[in-house]
Amino acid sequence: MTLRILYGGTFDPIHNGHLVVALHARDALHAEVSLLPARDPPHKGPTSADAADRARMCELAVAGIAGIDVDERELRRDTPSWTIDTLRGLRGEIGDGVPLALLVGADSFLGLQTWKDWRALPEFAHFVIAERPGFDLDAAMSPELAAAFGPRFTASPRALHSASAGLAFRLRQPVTPESATELRRRIAAGVPWQDWVPPEVAGYIVRNHLYGAAAIPSGHL
Ligand code: ATP
């Protein structure tokens, strides 16, 4: 059965680092990947884009890419985007037998203990953990995280297809420096930033004046 991967994030905005991770996961694990944009937090900062814009940029970024789509289920909910609730809902739809994985960057994984019911998450899905510059899994995992996940690690993509949940896999994609926080800072500061996002996303940001983007004369995007 095809492995389904959920790649959650605020994607504020989506950038090339996200796409490298999603493409590598798709190819290395023979999986279908869904970007899962989170809904707006209760107190959205002025430098952030709203959920509709974030989702639209995700769609523009993956349009025409086979095996990667956007799942807007968290945007349709009117409660916080707790991953455990999303997984419960999805399992209710697809059943327990389908192999399912959560794709997270190393920084997110290292903060997993702040997630609601984090110890229960592996009952619902595997974890695929992407490398991220500056976050060393071997050195930085807390004793609790290491105890909960250490025995779950596998180096076998095949194993992620054989079991429906419960394993952990380190995705060794080419590391890239992009970060949404730094991207927003560059856009607002007028520092060159377009190379960090697909051209369709850059066009959307400029046309909609997101993140304080200055207008660029027509014909340049
Ligand atoms: P910020 O710059 O604020 O940390 P972000 O770039 O991490 O934002 P998110 O939407 O929070 O954007 O990221 C979604 C997921 O993608 C997270 O699990 C994050 O760890 C991962 N991720 C983001 N950028 C990279 C990258 N360059 N390499 C690997 N993983 C990444």
Side-chain angles (χ1 to χ4, degrees):
M1 224 179 298
T2 307
L3 171 65
R4 282 191 64 176
I5 293 183
L6 292 179
Y7 186 20
T10 46
F11 300 113
D12 191 15
I14 187 163
H15 53 64
N16 291 337
H18 295 131
L19 291 173
V20 168
V21 167
L23 287 165
H24 199 82
R26 180 196 67 178
D27 296 343
L29 301 173
H30 307 291
E32 288 174 1
V33 179
S34 294
L35 306 178
L36 184 73
R39 69 192 282 273
D40 289 328
H43 304 291
K44 190 168 66 67
T47 56
S48 300
D50 67 22
D53 282 328
R54 292 184 288 105
R56 184 74 192 119
M57 288 188 280
C58 286
E59 278 161 10
L60 288 170
V62 303
I65 299 182
I68 304 184
D69 65 10
V70 182
D71 185 326
E72 299 192 356
R73 70 183 57 237
E74 292 197 343
L75 306 184
R76 294 194 292 267
R77 284 211 317 242
D78 51 7
T79 49
S81 297
W82 302 116
T83 301
I84 190 81
D85 298 336
T86 301
L87 290 179
R88 282 205 177 97
L90 185 58
R91 280 294 183 202
E93 283 171 30
I94 66 174
D96 292 336
V98 178
L100 189 63
L102 285 177
L103 175 56
V104 293
D107 56 314
S108 298
F109 182 74
L110 290 170
L112 196 71
Q113 285 164 267
T114 63
W115 295 25
K116 185 182 169 198
D117 293 345
W118 69 275
R119 287 181 188 278
L121 292 168
E123 292 169 26
F124 296 91
H126 303 303
F127 273 76
V128 174
I129 304 150
E131 306 280 316
R132 191 158 189 190
F135 297 91
D136 181 349
L137 276 194
D138 295 316
M141 249 195 278
S142 69
E144 292 79 11
L145 204 53
F149 278 87
R152 299 182 183 278
F153 277 93
T154 177
S156 160
R158 193 177 293 237
L160 301 184
H161 292 255
S162 307
S164 60
L167 298 173
F169 181 90
R170 289 183 69 163
L171 188 74
R172 299 184 191 272
Q173 88 285 3
V175 294
T176 66
E178 293 88 351
S179 108
T181 302
E182 173 61 10
L183 183 52
R184 293 192 302 270
R185 191 195 67 76
R186 290 186 184 194
I187 295 170
V191 176
W193 55 272
Q194 277 87 348
D195 286 355
W196 272 16
V197 298
E200 297 76 12
V201 173
Y204 188 91
I205 289 171
V206 171
R207 277 196 308 280
N208 293 284
H209 311 295
L210 301 181
Y211 312 113
I216 289 180
S218 61
H220 285 247
L221 275 171

